[in-house]
Amino acid sequence: MVEAQVEPPYPPDYEVRALREIATELGKKDWNYNENPCNNKSSWFIPPPPPNVPEAINNSTVTCNCSLPNGECHIDGMLTRTLTKWVYCSFTRH
């Protein structure tokens, strides 16, 4: 039996635009805006390296919450590494 995997829905356009602005500020050029940032299979998600392998500079991962009752996905955070430090941005909805 083959199990089908369903792609999560795209987050709202305004959230992706916010990521684009953040990327501009950080000088990030490796995000592909034609891909869904919530699918964990694209340029939006960089898995941690194996043990004893250095972290990549400008490594970043966008996290999403796709467990909302209405079936929507929303970007809820971003972890990125710059030349000097790790930065975590949390996106909170009110």
Side-chain angles (χ1 to χ4, degrees):
M1 178 182 280
V2 176
E3 187 176 318
Q5 292 190 356
V6 177
E7 288 288 320
Y10 275 71
D13 287 340
Y14 66 88
E15 293 180 3
V16 177
R17 283 193 307 268
L19 285 177
R20 190 181 295 264
E21 289 179 26
I22 291 167
T24 299
E25 289 293 319
L26 293 175
K28 290 196 60 54
K29 298 180 185 337
D30 59 342
W31 282 342
N32 182 348
Y33 294 96
N34 295 318
E35 293 180 327
N36 183 349
C38 293
N39 72 6
N40 289 341
K41 297 183 209 168
S42 65
S43 64
W44 300 93
F45 176 78
I46 309 296
N52 301 320
V53 175
E55 297 274 350
I57 300 299
N58 279 342
N59 179 10
S60 54
T61 296
V62 171
T63 58
C64 296
N65 180 356
C66 297
S67 63
L68 301 169
N70 59 3
E72 292 180 349
C73 279
H74 288 278
I75 297 166
D76 66 0
M78 178 190 72
L79 177 66
T80 189
R81 179 174 171 143
T82 65
L83 288 172
T84 58
K85 62 185 172 186
W86 281 98
V87 178
Y88 181 75
C89 300
S90 177
F91 306 118
T92 322
R93 299 193 64 203
H94 298 285

